[in-house]
Amino acid sequence: MTFPGDPLGVRVELNIGGTWTDITADVLLDPPIEITRGRPDEAAQADPATCRMRLRNTGGKYSPRNPRSPYYGLIGRNTPLRVSIVYGEQTYRRFVGEVSSWPPRWAPSGHRQWVDIEATGILHRLRQGRKPLKSALRRKIEGTARYTAWWPLEDSEGATQAVPGYPGLTPLRVSGDVTFGAAEIGGIAGGVSLGEDGRLMPSPVPGGSSAGWVVAGWYAPPPASEWEELHASPLIQWQTTGSASLWFVAAAYDGVGVSLMCEVADQTIFLGGGSGPAPAITSGSGLPVQVLCRAVQSGSDVVVTIQADGVTVVSFTLTSHTCGRVSQIGINDQVVEDHGLTFLGSWSHLLVAPSSRYSDVIGLIDAGQGYAGEAALDRAARIAAEEGIPLLTVGADSQRVGPQRAAAALDLIVEAVDADLGMLYEQRDAPALVARARSADYNTAPALTLSYRELAPPLEPVDDDQRLRNDITVERIGGSSARAIHETGPLSVQPPPDGAGRYDTAVTLNVASDDQLLDIATWLLHLGIWDEARYPVVRLDLADDPHLIPGVLATDIRSRITIDDLPDWLPPGPVDLLVEGYTERLGVRTWEIEYTCSPGGPWQIALVEDETYGRVDTDGSELAAAVTATATTLTVATTAGPVWTTDPADLPFDVIVGGEVMTVTAITGTSSPQTFTVVRAVNGITKPHAAGADVRLAHPAIVAL
């Protein structure tokens, strides 16, 4: 198809047998090609992109199971397809996806055959199956060169043995009161807890080095309030071939705090705790602690280091001893029954490594904590890379997220983007996802600037309560909550007519800290009480207005659109919108596009020294006296907070009174009321205003999350 004055065409290609093949000649443009991307009106998440079209199927050319087809064996489920616009000398991809079905259709006479195909974006395929990933620590260890020995201890409840993580090792057999299936914590999917007579019987550790070794385990402690004297963690116990043959490491209550303790060569060494140099094992972080013992042969002595999460608790030397290699390992193997101890907490990921791999073992700490504190976009990018999912990140700043849970890869990516209040959608010109940070939407320049006469009818503003939320609670997975409420004003929780009534909602996010919750709740409240009409759909007909084509080609999901020169029966513009998604139709002399939009105003945030958006609004001001439609001075009383600035350097700025925007050029008086000199009808509205009319900044500062 061609528009006046602009060479424009549609190109449709299939990847047939590994080669992109132009099939445009077989595309029937009645009905038009229809492409849909992004999220529908007010939807929480973007849907998979779709592209629907009709292909001429003469002789079964596009019937994958027809051996007469020249494409037999070359097309079928998930054959890649792409649609492009050729404009001038440039090619612009409008859709890239996969065709999953080829339903043949024909006229009753058999003279016409066609196939109506629907291609979908990568999200469609990624949403199928969605098998949960293994725990973050397990994935990290499995992706690392083999250590000497490893038992994950993430076996299911009811297991009678702990299966090793490597082939060739013997399971740790259960004896007595042993419970698998502890709660998921940090980057660990469970663990093992033991009662007084519980044991994991020792298993042989083949190989290893007699020059030095590392034994590590991940301990999930109970809350500090549960510890008392005679409380301890189960004891990791191992034997070596050296002269200091029997070792154990555990956590125990010492009357002050929870200490690590180690026994070696018949010596029991208490290693400090709540009052000592060790990290507080019961700090309440809700994350597992890596407990590590390292022994290295140094001449005729053995140097021993005990660490918790990479921090050295104590280092000591066993003189005239040999290190040997670790020969067997278990939990509570040689604990005497009826000792009176109560064992608290659970262990997981029992690991033996040569001392030369010490740095690698320390490098597992982040994974054991589920990468808690990682930036949301970094989380999305890392998981996508690990799973081979193509993903582009947009934005440099994103919220810190909590521990990575054992969930499907796409679910974890969505969870990270949601924690940032960002958006996940599909890239338009490649089979890839886009993880867009919330901060990427602040103060964006318009990609498409429209006047009312350039729109295809109808433009239908909606003044309803669909987006209204004035009471917002945000909860952290595994943590606390925070609440933000709009208490006064037209959209407050006050019953009508003083407010709109209560519109409450609760959101659960996997953020890193409870400290983030109030800021998030406040930002969501800001979005939820934004007071303007919605313009959910903006329609363009590019056959009638081909001069808009360059702007449309530059407009994508979360692009900004502004509309000005509105008719008198609508509120004065400009209307400021963000694109959430769109549907476009390409046919014979047809290029129509419908943008699904949300308000863009809430995303114009304050910047330091910004003359438009950097000013803090009044706490309360009103007209002290009525004004006519032509008056150029106002008497303004301040009802709350400080009076208005009189510094000429702070002027001019715009205020809004009764829907009319005025530019303030001077203010006199240092106490209330003050006199404003104004330019009227900046937005085309001019009318008289009664005493008591609200006076506010037309563009008050918005503080970003």
Side-chain angles (χ1 to χ4, degrees):
M1 59 185 178
T2 303
F3 292 139
D6 292 307
L8 178 73
V10 178
R11 179 184 299 159
V12 179
E13 298 168 283
L14 277 176
N15 193 309
I16 299 175
T19 301
W20 284 106
T21 304
D22 190 337
I23 64 164
T24 307
D26 290 329
V27 178
L28 302 172
L29 293 176
D30 186 16
I33 299 170
E34 184 175 276
I35 298 170
T36 301
R37 297 182 60 242
R39 55 188 175 196
D41 183 27
E42 303 304 321
Q45 296 182 356
D47 291 335
T50 61
C51 178
R52 299 179 178 90
M53 69 180 69
R54 178 169 291 178
L55 301 181
R56 185 181 292 108
N57 195 30
T58 304
K61 184 178 181 179
Y62 296 101
S63 297
R65 299 187 183 278
N66 187 349
R68 300 181 183 87
S69 167
Y71 302 143
Y72 179 70
L74 301 176
I75 62 174
R77 292 184 179 90
N78 295 337
T79 298
L81 175 142
R82 64 190 186 192
V83 178
S84 307
I85 292 290
V86 181
Y87 181 69
E89 298 181 355
Q90 298 292 321
T91 298
Y92 299 88
R93 299 267 184 266
R94 302 301 291 173
F95 176 84
V96 177
E98 301 164 345
V99 183
S100 58
S101 64
W102 305 79
R105 300 290 184 266
W106 57 91
S109 64
H111 292 302
R112 291 185 301 113
Q113 302 95 44
W114 68 91
V115 56
D116 289 323
I117 63 171
E118 178 177 285
T120 54
I122 189 174
L123 267 174
H124 174 78
R125 175 161 47 84
L126 293 176
R127 286 181 176 179
Q128 309 302 312
R130 302 174 82 161
K131 177 181 177 181
L133 302 181
K134 297 176 183 177
S135 70
L137 181 55
R138 186 165 189 155
R139 286 162 55 80
K140 179 73 172 180
I141 295 175
E142 288 179 342
T144 305
R146 177 169 174 156
Y147 295 103
T148 305
W150 169 46
W151 290 265
L153 305 184
E154 291 184 344
D155 306 81
S156 300
E157 185 177 358
T160 58
Q161 62 181 15
V163 177
Y166 298 137
L169 298 176
T170 304
L172 299 175
R173 292 184 298 104
V174 166
S175 175
D177 184 8
V178 176
T179 303
F180 286 97
E184 181 177 354
I185 175 174
I188 293 168
V192 62
S193 305
L194 284 73
E196 184 169 335
D197 66 343
R199 288 164 174 53
L200 285 182
M201 305 305 292
S203 175
V205 178
S209 170
S210 59
W213 42 259
V214 171
V215 170
W218 275 259
Y219 180 56
S225 59
E226 295 185 13
W227 289 88
E228 298 178 4
E229 291 192 64
L230 297 180
H231 283 184
S233 74
L235 283 59
I236 298 178
Q237 296 181 308
W238 64 98
Q239 291 187 357
T240 72
T241 58
S243 57
S245 60
L246 179 63
W247 301 68
F248 81 70
V249 67
Y253 188 75
D254 64 1
V256 177
V258 179
S259 304
L260 286 176
M261 63 179 182
C262 173
E263 182 175 290
V264 54
D266 298 324
Q267 303 175 54
T268 299
I269 303 167
F270 287 86
L271 310 173
S275 60
I281 296 244
T282 55
S283 64
S285 68
L287 298 173
V289 178
Q290 185 200 66
V291 177
L292 178 148
C293 178
R294 183 189 189 194
V296 179
Q297 191 71 46
S298 177
S300 60
D301 302 329
V302 177
V303 177
V304 182
T305 304
I306 309 294
Q307 293 184 328
D309 278 344
V311 177
T312 297
V313 178
V314 71
S315 182
F316 57 91
T317 299
L318 298 175
T319 58
S320 301
H321 277 284
T322 57
C323 185
R325 65 174 185 84
V326 177
S327 58
Q328 65 177 29
I329 192 167
I331 297 182
N332 279 10
D333 172 38
Q334 299 189 33
V335 173
V336 178
E337 293 186 27
D338 299 324
H339 47 58
L341 280 179
T342 297
F343 294 112
L344 300 179
S346 64
W347 285 101
S348 64
H349 294 277
L350 199 54
L351 187 71
V352 181
S355 61
S356 59
R357 300 283 307 276
Y358 163 77
S359 296
D360 293 341
V361 178
I362 290 296
L364 299 174
I365 292 173
D366 283 348
Q369 296 182 347
Y371 305 98
E374 189 174 30
L377 260 59
D378 291 344
R379 166 77 52 85
R382 178 178 55 77
I383 292 173
E386 291 172 357
E387 293 301 300
I389 299 172
L391 181 138
L392 173 70
T393 59
V394 178
D397 179 38
S398 58
Q399 289 280 309
R400 295 177 299 109
V401 291
Q404 175 182 322
R405 300 178 299 128
L410 181 61
D411 293 340
L412 292 173
I413 293 172
V414 169
E415 180 181 79
V417 176
D418 285 350
D420 184 56
L421 308 183
M423 184 174 178
L424 184 75
Y425 54 95
E426 292 164 323
Q427 196 170 336
R428 179 163 57 190
D429 57 359
L433 300 179
V434 177
R436 184 180 180 90
R438 174 204 68 261
S439 60
D441 293 332
Y442 295 153
N443 296 355
T444 55
L448 192 57
T449 301
L450 302 169
S451 66
Y452 176 76
R453 67 180 182 276
E454 292 171 325
L455 305 179
L459 179 66
E460 299 177 331
V462 180
D463 210 340
D464 61 8
D465 60 356
Q466 184 168 311
R467 295 179 60 89
L468 177 57
R469 299 293 182 272
N470 54 22
D471 182 353
I472 301 203
T473 300
V474 179
E475 300 176 353
R476 180 172 70 91
I477 294 176
S480 186
S481 65
R483 188 178 182 188
I485 306 174
H486 188 49
E487 303 273 11
T488 59
L491 297 183
S492 71
V493 296
Q494 298 296 323
D498 296 326
R502 191 174 302 277
Y503 287 75
D504 57 355
T505 188
V507 179
T508 301
L509 301 174
N510 186 20
V511 293
S513 168
D514 290 339
D515 295 339
Q516 298 168 258
L517 298 177
L518 183 57
D519 287 342
I520 294 173
T522 302
W523 179 258
L524 289 174
L525 183 67
H526 159 68
L527 298 178
I529 61 172
W530 188 256
D531 192 5
E532 67 178 45
R534 298 186 303 114
Y535 289 79
V537 179
V538 174
R539 299 174 175 86
L540 301 177
D541 187 338
L542 299 176
D544 290 342
D545 290 293
H547 65 281
L548 297 176
I549 291 173
V552 167
L553 292 173
T555 301
D556 200 358
I557 294 170
R558 300 302 283 178
S559 289
R560 186 177 168 203
I561 295 177
T562 60
I563 307 171
D564 214 336
D565 299 325
L566 296 175
D568 291 344
W569 58 85
L570 292 177
V575 174
D576 199 348
L577 303 171
L578 288 183
V579 174
E580 301 290 348
Y582 61 82
T583 296
E584 65 179 320
R585 298 176 184 88
L586 304 164
V588 179
R589 297 288 306 155
T590 301
W591 189 3
E592 302 168 345
I593 190 160
E594 295 181 357
Y595 292 110
T596 301
C597 300
S598 63
W603 300 89
Q604 301 305 303
I605 65 167
L607 298 175
V608 177
E609 298 183 357
D610 186 301
E611 293 184 358
T612 301
Y613 294 105
R615 302 177 186 273
V616 178
D617 202 3
T618 175
D619 291 330
S621 295
E622 62 184 29
L623 291 179
V627 296
T628 66
T630 58
T632 57
T633 59
L634 313 177
T635 304
V636 178
T638 298
T639 59
V643 296
W644 292 78
T645 179
T646 59
D647 187 346
D650 294 332
L651 299 164
F653 55 80
D654 291 344
V655 295
I656 187 166
V657 182
E660 178 184 352
V661 177
M662 311 175 191
T663 298
V664 181
T665 59
I667 300 178
T668 59
T670 57
S671 60
S672 179
Q674 297 170 283
T675 300
F676 286 30
T677 303
V678 298
V679 176
R680 301 290 297 272
V682 173
N683 62 342
I685 301 295
T686 180
K687 62 181 185 178
H689 301 283
D694 191 48
V695 178
R696 294 203 168 268
L697 283 176
H699 307 287
I702 296 172
V703 180
L705 171 60

